[in-house]
Structures are given as C-alpha cells and as structure tokens.
Amino acid sequence: MINLKTQHELDIMRRAGLALSKVTAELIDACRVGVKTAEIDRLADRRIREAGGRPGFLGYNGFPKSICISVNDEAVHGIPGPRRIQDGDLVSLDLGLVIDGFWADMGVTVPVGNVSAENMRLVKVTEEAFWKAVEQCVPGNRLGDVSSAVQRHVEAAGFSVIRQFVGHGIGRNMHEDPQVPNFGRPGTGPELKPGMTLAIEPMVNLGSPDVYIKPDGWTVCTVDGLPSSYYEHTVAITKEGALILTAAEAGLPADRALAG
Ligand code: MG
C-alpha cells in the first residue's frame, strides 16, 4: 500500500531532508585522502544528532554503523571502518535521518583527488540519471516512466544499472511501497499521485550490472571489480511536480512551494 503524505507530514520530511542535506554537504568536504571511513561515519553520527535527528541506518536490520560508505567497486551498503580514502577513490555516502518519526534518505558519490576521466563520467551520468527520473515525477505519470528514464540515460552512456537493489517509497519507514527500480518500461506500474514520497537512487556500474554481497553480510560489490556510482534524494510528488525534500536550502523551487 502506498502511503500518501499530508502537507503537514511533507513539512516534517522537508525538515528532516534539509537537516540531512547539510550533514551531507559537510561529509562531502570531509572525504579527503588519508581519512578513514570510520571517521566520516563518526562525524555523520554527531552532526545528525546535533541536528535533532537520529541516524536511521544505525541498527537497521542490524547495520552496525550510522551511515553507509562504499568505495570504488563497492556499490552500496558498505560498512565504515579503518579503510583510508586514497587518491582517485570514488567514495559513495548514503545517509538516513529520522526526525519526528519521519525519514529522509540521500546519497552521493564523492570523487576524491585525481579521479580518472571515465570514473568522473560515471559519477556525472549517475547524477544526470537521477534528474532524468525527477523530470518524470509528475502526477499522472507512472512509476515505470521514472524507472525507465534512469535506465535509458545510463545505458545510452554505456553503463549499467544494478537490478538486485532498488529505490523505495519512504515516510514513517525507510522502506515503504512502492519499490523504485532503476529499470523498467514507460507507462507501467503505479500512477504517481500528489503526496507520494520516493527515495530515487540510481546505482550505476561502469561495467556489468552484476553484484554480490561480501561476507560481512552488507557490502554490495560489483562482480567484475569495476567501480560503481550512486546518487539519491528523497522526492515528493506534488501537484506542481517534484519536490526534492533532501535538497540544500538554496535554489530549491520546493521551498517556495512549501512556503506558499
Ligand atoms: Mg534509499
């Protein structure tokens, strides 16, 4: 069942999303050569709590840390630890924050130092694919329009989308209906309606789409060892179109919509 949110609930989710976007901005800056991923995790935990939130991933199905950090061939769900960031790494951050019972979820891949042109293109295409999806987030469209927009953009660039893991509805729970795959057919799936809130998260591999889970039970890696990239925001469908709940303060049309 898809939970449609009230304006009041969307306001809470926007508060959570704005807080999370500020934390993310600081974490992006903290991703530097020589820094341990566990240090990024500790910073995230501190900042999320200072913002009045709870780090939602901590303890979620037993996840041991406050955020996910996945490096290079690690696609998603990496566990922060003693690994030090190296020059040329692609560092994917994925964070969830809960305020007043509502979730915000976002993620980004940070290129650190001298990243190869091909890997930079991977990161760029992943982010572009997200915005292609957002263009489809208007009432009356179908979820398949969103999914296929991601897939088309990624595959046209010569990359592939992961199929075993997908985006999701979000609200009082991190994972709500519907699932939001990064592949699909236009015109299929549930109709988008105002009040729907979706975590849209292209997961894009440079090579094959195949992934496996490491023995730690969490970390999702590419089978071919090539890098993966990630980009996620929590998005609300409104009468006026998409509202990026986890966007930074400046330049968000959604802010005007919420204020009005
Ligand atoms: Mg998510």
mmCIF file of all heavy atoms in Angstrom, residues 105 168 199 201 230 232, ligand 1:
data_model
loop_
_atom_site.group_PDB
_atom_site.id
_atom_site.type_symbol
_atom_site.label_atom_id
_atom_site.label_comp_id
_atom_site.label_asym_id
_atom_site.label_seq_id
_atom_site.Cartn_x
_atom_site.Cartn_y
_atom_site.Cartn_z
ATOM 1 N N ASP A 105 16.351 10.305 3.280
ATOM 2 C CA ASP A 105 17.360 9.356 2.812
ATOM 3 C C ASP A 105 18.032 10.002 1.606
ATOM 4 O O ASP A 105 17.349 10.483 0.693
ATOM 5 C CB ASP A 105 16.639 8.053 2.414
ATOM 6 C CG ASP A 105 17.573 6.901 2.107
ATOM 7 O OD1 ASP A 105 18.807 7.047 2.262
ATOM 8 O OD2 ASP A 105 17.055 5.829 1.702
ATOM 9 N N HIS A 168 12.908 3.241 -3.262
ATOM 10 C CA HIS A 168 11.777 2.828 -2.433
ATOM 11 C C HIS A 168 10.922 4.014 -2.015
ATOM 12 O O HIS A 168 11.409 5.144 -1.926
ATOM 13 C CB HIS A 168 12.312 2.139 -1.178
ATOM 14 C CG HIS A 168 13.430 2.906 -0.499
ATOM 15 N ND1 HIS A 168 13.208 3.795 0.510
ATOM 16 C CD2 HIS A 168 14.764 2.943 -0.745
ATOM 17 C CE1 HIS A 168 14.362 4.329 0.880
ATOM 18 N NE2 HIS A 168 15.330 3.849 0.141
ATOM 19 N N ALA A 199 12.302 7.572 -2.432
ATOM 20 C CA ALA A 199 13.761 7.669 -2.442
ATOM 21 C C ALA A 199 14.216 7.124 -3.795
ATOM 22 O O ALA A 199 14.137 5.924 -4.046
ATOM 23 C CB ALA A 199 14.373 6.871 -1.304
ATOM 24 N N GLU A 201 17.112 6.436 -6.357
ATOM 25 C CA GLU A 201 18.552 6.231 -6.158
ATOM 26 C C GLU A 201 19.189 5.400 -7.267
ATOM 27 O O GLU A 201 19.329 4.191 -7.131
ATOM 28 C CB GLU A 201 18.831 5.606 -4.786
ATOM 29 C CG GLU A 201 17.911 4.482 -4.367
ATOM 30 C CD GLU A 201 18.235 3.998 -2.947
ATOM 31 O OE1 GLU A 201 19.416 3.885 -2.607
ATOM 32 O OE2 GLU A 201 17.297 3.714 -2.189
ATOM 33 N N TYR A 230 26.606 6.263 -7.344
ATOM 34 C CA TYR A 230 25.344 6.280 -6.620
ATOM 35 C C TYR A 230 24.878 7.714 -6.453
ATOM 36 O O TYR A 230 25.686 8.625 -6.277
ATOM 37 C CB TYR A 230 25.648 5.638 -5.266
ATOM 38 C CG TYR A 230 24.528 5.587 -4.316
ATOM 39 C CD1 TYR A 230 23.489 4.692 -4.516
ATOM 40 C CD2 TYR A 230 24.499 6.414 -3.208
ATOM 41 C CE1 TYR A 230 22.444 4.638 -3.633
ATOM 42 C CE2 TYR A 230 23.453 6.358 -2.317
ATOM 43 C CZ TYR A 230 22.437 5.464 -2.536
ATOM 44 O OH TYR A 230 21.407 5.416 -1.653
ATOM 45 N N GLU A 232 21.279 9.790 -4.694
ATOM 46 C CA GLU A 232 19.940 9.606 -4.127
ATOM 47 C C GLU A 232 19.416 10.881 -3.475
ATOM 48 O O GLU A 232 20.154 11.586 -2.789
ATOM 49 C CB GLU A 232 19.972 8.501 -3.059
ATOM 50 C CG GLU A 232 18.634 8.289 -2.358
ATOM 51 C CD GLU A 232 18.684 7.235 -1.259
ATOM 52 O OE1 GLU A 232 19.789 6.981 -0.721
ATOM 53 O OE2 GLU A 232 17.621 6.680 -0.936
HETATM 54 MG MG MG B 1 17.478 4.721 -0.068
#
